[in-house]
Amino acid sequence: MRWTADQVLALAPDAASRKAGSRLGSAGPWSETGCGGGSGAVWGECKGSGSKPYRTVVDTAGAAYKCSCPSRKFPCKHALGLLLLWASDEEAVKETQAPPEWAGEWLEGRRKKAG
């Protein structure tokens, strides 16, 4: 089940993160988005200021986050933005068969540690 925007924003560590995450909650900066595939996860790549997009993945079952950005805030604005997009736009973040390799590796590592 997809979360609501209020549920996502409640995860933000501070007001600045809520504001920055809200700006990234539209399809514009995102590519390679997806969710599900039996993984209980949401993932995507967000265009930032660098040459490579930030890779963001969220384990919605355990509310855990991974992003390639250098932020020290958890969740970072990219994770918040991705979750807001997932919450509001089913066309932008569609159910898929499986996550991409980079997201799948992180999810598998989490499950191995938990087991």
Side-chain angles (χ1 to χ4, degrees), residues 7-8 18 22 35 50 52-53 66 77 97 101 111 114:
Q7 288 173 308
V8 172
R18 275 191 295 281
S22 293
C35 65
K52 292 183 178 182
K66 169 84 171 141
K77 65 183 180 181
Q97 292 297 319
E101 186 176 337
R111 289 191 173 76

Side-chain angles (χ1 to χ4, degrees), residues 3 6 12 18-19 23 25 36 38-39 46 49 51-53 56 63 67 77 80 91 95-96 99 101 108-109:
W3 298 351
D6 287 341
R18 275 191 295 281
K19 185 175 180 181
R23 285 195 301 265
S39 67
C46 185
S49 57
S51 61
K52 292 183 178 182
T56 308
C67 186
K77 65 183 180 181
L80 292 169
E91 283 300 309
E95 292 275 338
T96 66
E101 186 176 337
E108 182 64 26

Side-chain angles (χ1 to χ4, degrees), residues 29-115:
W30 292 97
S31 62
E32 307 301 320
T33 58
C35 65
S39 67
V42 181
W43 56 84
E45 295 184 355
C46 185
K47 175 116 179 76
S49 57
S51 61
K52 292 183 178 182
Y54 296 122
R55 290 179 163 177
T56 308
V57 59
V58 178
D59 181 347
T60 58
Y65 324 92
K66 169 84 171 141
C67 186
S68 60
C69 78
S71 177
R72 292 191 176 134
K73 294 182 180 183
F74 292 99
C76 69
K77 65 183 180 181
H78 304 102
L80 292 169
L82 177 61
L83 286 171
L84 286 168
L85 180 62
W86 172 64
S88 66
D89 192 342
E90 288 187 31
E91 283 300 309
V93 184
K94 293 182 179 179
E95 292 275 338
T96 66
Q97 292 297 319
E101 186 176 337
W102 56 268
E105 288 174 359
W106 180 75
L107 291 164
E108 182 64 26
R110 280 188 48 74
R111 289 191 173 76
K112 283 182 180 176
K113 285 180 186 176

